């Protein structure tokens, strides 16, 4: 490695010849000193004189300090009297006589053999020495003297003499090493992975590279791919040492700025930084610029500080940040680096920060904050225990239930602790106990009990008020409130309220409003909550008939459910939706596999298992197993009887049973179930549920009466955004019209159904509509190759959000994608849909303009 470095330095040294002024310019560690060392050794080897000096930020005010360094070993007999003051640091000013006297000394030392004058870090040289160096640079061309100055890239020096030198010299810029150059320094030939690790650890800085390679060689680390992992840790240690060396040579203001930036992190609050450093605006600006120029990293700076000084700076930072309105989490992160009991407000800040961490699913961060909060004298132990238990619950860590039970049994925060404990008991599958914990509570606690009731029959409350969206949702499921009344009671003032409201809007056919609410739910939540949000989005998209977007949301939900599989109600709902979409894609065997895998003993205790049974009935109908299909639909009914939920909007098992009875020839039972669902759907009042019920009733009713019911189903569904259900009704109506010899009406109905099915992405429905259309004698038509079905799942999601008026930044935040890629994705979407702007996306995606019956 040393030989390689000598070759590299030699290439620069060969450019320095007598009669020249050369400036070596480079960032710290780029090898300026190494080049000067090599150059000096070469001149001395040739019998020439060499004098060297080094500037220092701490000695910049010492007149002729550099000159004194250069000539302190000169033979007194050669020193002209005019130069003595400069060499002895007593010269009152850099007058002509002094400058010329030192110049004469330099020429005397040069003699006929030559002289190299090298000044490292010349940007820090004092003004008097810079004036002499400029004086020499103007005359050096006719002398056997080479003048070499090494300066830092980007370093400021406002002295006029420095500017004069830089304007007339030859400049050589030193840069960082490339990966190939680093490989050239290593013997034997290194593996590419090892070189890449070295480059990543050092950024190619020559000084850091050479020190790292020397340290690795000393440690006996071979340059192999298998040893690449060892480079990162050693590289961090070496880089920290190099940065600390650079910083120690800087003035106190720069050190203070570096330490404060290291504590505050990148892009610190200007007021806080000024307060911590105690520097004026000009000095602070210059110090920050120097820190950025050096590139000193936070960990390296903090590691070099004594522990007590570091803790004191964190405490000052916490105080200043709090005074400047920083978030509790930011302030608390600094309190963690200090000792307890220093501030009366610390416990409250740590407590609130822990709640924020819990909400974001940051279990380790919440635990750290809460354990520290418990050490503060004014902390609320009950609240801290509760939050710690919630953090452990979210993180699926052992002991969460015991900790929450302890908090629940204390005297403080009883209701909040009860709610938190109820979710721990839910995760453990103890519905009876969670109902006891929440029984007799406030409307807020009863609302949470109603949420548990959507999974466990034992948790269904006997009565729930309409004071909360969760309470409203309970009444919606029971079916004793109309859709219009329910929609008027929604709100999104909390995450639970937003999710409950989105469910209500979904069931009431206000699908775009439901998506808007779900889009605004904070995605920085625990995996289970994110999974629920995506499952709910998929359900809304499925009801709209946007199967591609629904499938994309289910994929995201599945990723989160795999991280935490305790929430069986959500997992079962996810499986039912996925199987349903697979059926629409004509992938019956895959749907059957999903249903079988999700039909566990634990899932059979959940209300959402009724949905899985209903989808199983649909799957068996597709296979022609009408007896098994009927049993699945009736099993769904028996399962749901344990709950008081009779609204057909969330689960229309009666329609499936009616169609199965009709297929088996039992028209009486078929009409009984169909009529019951129509009655319940009319009471609810949302067009999707009513249209589906009317369609089933029309299919099981013979003659003109059946046609009339199907025509009503189509009229009702046209007022709903449920495009796929409209396609089903149109197909059934087309079949009846064909059988009644209304060929023209049948073809119109079936063509519209085919178009809608293709737009929705339902190959199964499109195939049925197509075959029925052919049966009318219509010629074969070409299936759609453009439009919404041409979009990828990711494009569907972007297009849907843009159609709802979301900005590029909002789309990027919602879908967790880079903001700068959204515009490009939208351009591709517009090309595929044949539209010229995002304003036309809504119509292109929907294919029809059904109105929202509730005016939302």
């Amino acid at each position: 490695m040393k030989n390689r470095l000598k070759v590299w330095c030699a290439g620069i040294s060969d450019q320095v010849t007598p009669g020249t002024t050369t400036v070596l310019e480079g960032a710290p560690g780029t090898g300026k000193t190494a080049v000067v060392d090599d150059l000096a050794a070469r001149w001395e080897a040739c019998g020439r004189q060499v004098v060297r000096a080094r500037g220092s930020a701490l000695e910049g005010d010492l007149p002729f300090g550099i000159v004194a360094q250069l000539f302190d070993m000169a033979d007194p007999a050669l020193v002209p009297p005019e130069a003595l003051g400069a060499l002895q640091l007593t010269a009152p000013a850099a007058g002509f006589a002094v400058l010329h006297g030192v110049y004469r000394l330099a020429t005397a030392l040069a003699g006929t053999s030559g002289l190299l004058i090298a000044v490292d870090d010349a940007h820090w040289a004092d003004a008097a020495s810079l004036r002499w160096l400029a004086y020499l640079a103007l005359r050096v061309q006719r002398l056997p003297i080479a003048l070499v100055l090494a300066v830092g890239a980007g370093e400021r020096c406002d002295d006029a003499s420095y500017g004069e030198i830089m304007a007339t010299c030859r400049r050589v810029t030193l840069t960082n090493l490339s990966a190939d150059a680093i490989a050239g320094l290593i013997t034997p030939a290194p593996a590419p992975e090892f070189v890449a690790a070295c480059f990543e650890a050092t950024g190619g800085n020559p000084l850091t590279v050479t020190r790292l390679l020397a340290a690795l060689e000393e440690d006996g680390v071979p340059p192999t791919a298998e040893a690449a992992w060892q480079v990162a840790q050693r590289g961090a240690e070496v880089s920290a040492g190099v940065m600390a060396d650079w910083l120690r040579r800087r003035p106190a203001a720069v050190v203070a700025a570096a330490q404060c930036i290291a504590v505050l992190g990148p892009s610190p609050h200007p007021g806080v930084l000024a307060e911590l450093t105690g520097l004026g605006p000009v000095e602070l600006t210059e110090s920050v610029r120097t820190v950025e120029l050096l590139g000193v990293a936070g960990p390296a700076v903090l590691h070099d500080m004594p522990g007590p000084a570091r803790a004191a700076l964190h405490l000052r930072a916490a105080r200043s940040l709090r005074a400047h309105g920083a978030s509790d989490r930011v302030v608390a992160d600094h309190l963690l680096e200090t000792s307890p009991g220093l501030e009366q407000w610390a416990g409250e800040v740590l407590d609130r920060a822990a709640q924020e961490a819990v909400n974001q699913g940051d279990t380790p961060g919440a635990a750290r904050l809460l354990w520290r909060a418990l050490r503060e004298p004014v902390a609320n132990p009950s609240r801290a225990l509760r939050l710690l238990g919630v953090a452990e619950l979210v993180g699926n860590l052992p002991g969460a239930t015991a900790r929450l039970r302890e908090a629940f049994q204390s005297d403080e925060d009883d209701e909040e602790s009860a709610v938190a404990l109820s979710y721990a008991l839910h995760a453990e599958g103890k519905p009876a106990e969670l109902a006891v914990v929440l029984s007799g509570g406030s409307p807020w606690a009863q609302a949470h009990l109603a949420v548990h009731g959507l999974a466990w029959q034992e948790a269904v409350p006997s009565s729930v008020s309409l004071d909360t969206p969760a309470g409203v949702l309970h009444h919606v499921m029971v079916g004793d409130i109309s859709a219009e009344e329910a929609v008027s009671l929604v709100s999104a003032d909390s995450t639970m309220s937003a999710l409950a409201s989105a469910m209500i809007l979904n069931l009431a056919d206000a699908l775009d409003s439901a998506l808007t609410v779900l889009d605004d739910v904070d995605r920085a939540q625990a995996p289970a909550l994110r999974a629920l949000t995506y499952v709910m989005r998929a359900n809304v998209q499925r009801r709209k008939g946007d199967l591609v977007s629904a499938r994309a949301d289910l994929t995201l939900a599945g990723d989160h459910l795999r991280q935490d599989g305790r929430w069986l109600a959500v997992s079962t709902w996810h499986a039912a939706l996925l199987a349903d979409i697979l059926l629409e894609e004509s992938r019956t065997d895959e749907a059957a596999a999903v249903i079988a895998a999700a039909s566990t003993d634990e899932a059979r205790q959940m209300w959402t298992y009724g949905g899985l049974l209903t989808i199983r009935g649909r799957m068996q109908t597709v296979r022609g197993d009408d007896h098994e299909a009927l049993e699945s639909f009736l099993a769904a009914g028996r399962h749901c009887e344990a709950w008081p939920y009779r609204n057909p909007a969330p689960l229309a098992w009666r329609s499936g049973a009616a169609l199965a009875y009709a297929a088996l020839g039992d028209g009486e039972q078929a009409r009984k179930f169909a009529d019951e669902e129509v009655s319940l759907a009319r009471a609810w009042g949302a067009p999707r549920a009513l249209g589906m019920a009317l369609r089933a009733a029309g299919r099981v009713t013979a003659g003109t009466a059946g046609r009339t019911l199907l025509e009503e189903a189509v009229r009702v569904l046209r007022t709903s955004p449920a495009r796929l259900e409209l396609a089903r009704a149109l197909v059934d109506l087309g079949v009846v019209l064909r059988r009644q010899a209304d060929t023209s009406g049948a073809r119109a109905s079936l063509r519209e159904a085919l178009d809608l099915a293709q737009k929705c992405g339902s190959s199964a429905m499109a195939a049925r509509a197509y075959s029925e259309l052919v049966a009318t004698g219509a010629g074969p038509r070409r299936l759609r190759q453009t439009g919404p079905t041409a979009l990828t799942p990711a494009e569907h999601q972007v297009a849907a959000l843009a159609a709802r008026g979301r900005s590029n930044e909002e789309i990027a935040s919602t879908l967790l994608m880079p903001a700068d890629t959204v515009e490009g994705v939208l351009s591709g979407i517009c090309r595929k849909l044949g539209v010229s702007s995002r304003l036309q996306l809504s119509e292109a995606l929907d294919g029809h303009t059904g109105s929202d019956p509730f005016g939302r």
Side-chain angles (χ1 to χ4, degrees), residues 619-811:
M619 182 267 296
Q620 291 162 336
T621 298
V622 171
R623 286 180 166 177
D625 299 332
D626 293 323
H627 286 283
E628 290 79 0
L630 177 60
E631 179 51 38
S632 292
F633 288 123
L634 294 178
R638 291 192 297 270
H639 176 81
C640 293
E641 284 178 356
W643 284 262
Y645 307 147
R646 290 177 54 79
N647 189 338
L651 186 59
W653 64 268
R654 297 174 185 83
S655 293
L659 295 176
Y661 270 121
L664 294 172
D666 190 342
E668 183 179 354
Q669 284 292 95
R671 287 188 293 276
K672 171 188 172 185
F673 278 93
D675 291 345
E676 182 182 1
E677 184 155 303
V678 169
S679 175
L680 292 170
R682 289 193 190 280
W684 169 235
R688 178 181 182 273
L690 179 57
M692 291 172 62
L694 288 168
R695 168 182 164 264
R699 284 192 60 179
V700 303
T701 303
T704 304
R707 173 177 173 171
T708 301
L709 287 169
L710 287 171
E711 288 173 338
E712 183 183 359
V714 169
R715 286 196 303 273
V716 169
L717 286 168
R718 288 194 188 280
T719 67
S720 165
R723 296 175 299 168
L724 189 55
E725 299 309 325
L726 174 60
R728 291 190 211 286
L730 284 166
V731 169
D732 289 337
L733 178 59
V735 171
V736 169
L737 292 174
R738 177 175 62 82
R739 290 172 180 172
Q740 294 180 357
D742 186 355
T743 304
S744 175
R747 288 174 179 174
S749 182
L750 291 168
R751 284 195 179 104
E752 183 180 359
L754 175 59
D755 188 57
L756 282 173
Q758 288 180 313
K759 288 179 178 179
C760 292
S762 174
S763 59
M765 181 56 56
R768 181 171 178 238
Y770 181 77
S771 65
E772 293 292 346
L773 183 60
V774 172
T776 67
R781 58 182 290 178
R782 196 174 158 201
L783 294 179
R784 179 182 299 272
Q785 301 297 322
T786 60
T789 55
L791 301 181
T792 66
E795 288 173 333
H796 252 279
Q797 290 183 304
V798 172
L801 289 171
R804 295 201 296 276
R806 297 285 167 153
S807 67
N808 288 359
E809 292 74 17
E810 290 173 326
I811 294 172

Side-chain angles (χ1 to χ4, degrees), residues 478-494:
V478 169
D480 60 4
I481 186 174
S482 70
E484 187 172 5
E485 183 181 359
V487 168
S488 69
L489 296 173
V490 301
S491 68
D493 54 359
S494 67

Side-chain angles (χ1 to χ4, degrees), residues 212-482:
L212 173 60
L213 295 180
L216 293 172
E217 185 177 354
E218 183 180 340
D219 294 345
V221 178
T224 62
E226 293 74 17
W229 67 272
Q230 301 181 56
V231 175
Q233 181 177 357
R234 203 69 169 97
E237 296 172 0
V238 170
S239 296
V242 171
M243 291 178 184
D245 290 343
W246 293 342
L247 194 59
R248 293 188 191 110
R249 299 182 56 227
R250 297 286 170 160
V254 175
V255 175
Q259 292 174 343
C260 293
I261 291 173
V263 164
L264 294 173
S267 303
H269 187 288
V272 175
L273 182 61
E275 186 174 316
L276 291 189
T277 59
L279 302 175
V282 175
E283 190 175 17
L284 178 59
T285 300
E286 186 61 28
S287 297
V288 170
R289 194 188 74 85
T290 302
V291 171
E292 293 173 347
L293 181 67
L294 289 173
V296 287
V301 176
L302 294 177
H303 181 75
D304 200 47
M305 292 179 66
R310 186 168 59 246
L313 186 55
H314 274 292
L315 181 60
R316 290 174 53 216
R319 291 169 177 161
S320 181
L321 286 164
R322 182 169 179 262
H324 283 82
S327 69
D328 291 321
R329 183 66 190 272
V330 171
V331 176
D333 284 341
H334 289 282
L335 291 174
L336 289 174
E337 305 298 328
T338 66
S339 300
L342 298 177
E343 294 290 349
Q344 292 184 350
W345 45 264
E348 297 177 1
V349 169
L350 289 162
D351 193 85
R352 292 193 298 268
Q355 178 68 72
E356 180 182 345
V358 169
N359 292 341
Q360 294 177 348
D362 181 7
T363 303
R368 283 188 68 202
L369 292 163
L370 291 165
W371 280 118
R372 171 55 191 278
L374 289 169
R375 297 173 63 193
E376 292 292 339
V378 295
N380 182 339
S382 173
R383 177 175 165 81
L385 279 171
R386 173 171 56 80
L387 288 176
L388 183 56
V390 170
E392 292 171 335
L393 173 64
V394 168
N396 198 10
L397 300 176
T401 304
R403 194 139 9 240
L404 290 170
R405 200 184 300 278
E406 182 181 353
F408 173 64
Q409 293 170 350
S410 68
D411 293 331
E412 300 177 75
D413 294 330
D414 192 37
E415 187 176 80
E416 293 188 25
S417 295
V419 169
L421 176 58
S422 74
Y423 285 97
L425 295 169
H426 184 131
E428 291 188 354
K430 299 178 179 178
E433 188 176 351
L434 74 82
V436 172
V437 168
L438 290 176
S439 63
S442 67
W444 186 70
Q446 288 296 302
H448 282 277
L449 187 59
V451 171
H452 293 302
L454 296 175
W456 305 97
Q457 184 273 331
E458 297 91 334
V460 176
S462 56
S463 63
V464 187
S465 71
L466 296 173
D467 295 338
T468 64
V472 175
L473 178 60
H474 172 81
H475 287 274
V476 167
M477 299 291 290
V478 169
D480 60 4
I481 186 174
S482 70

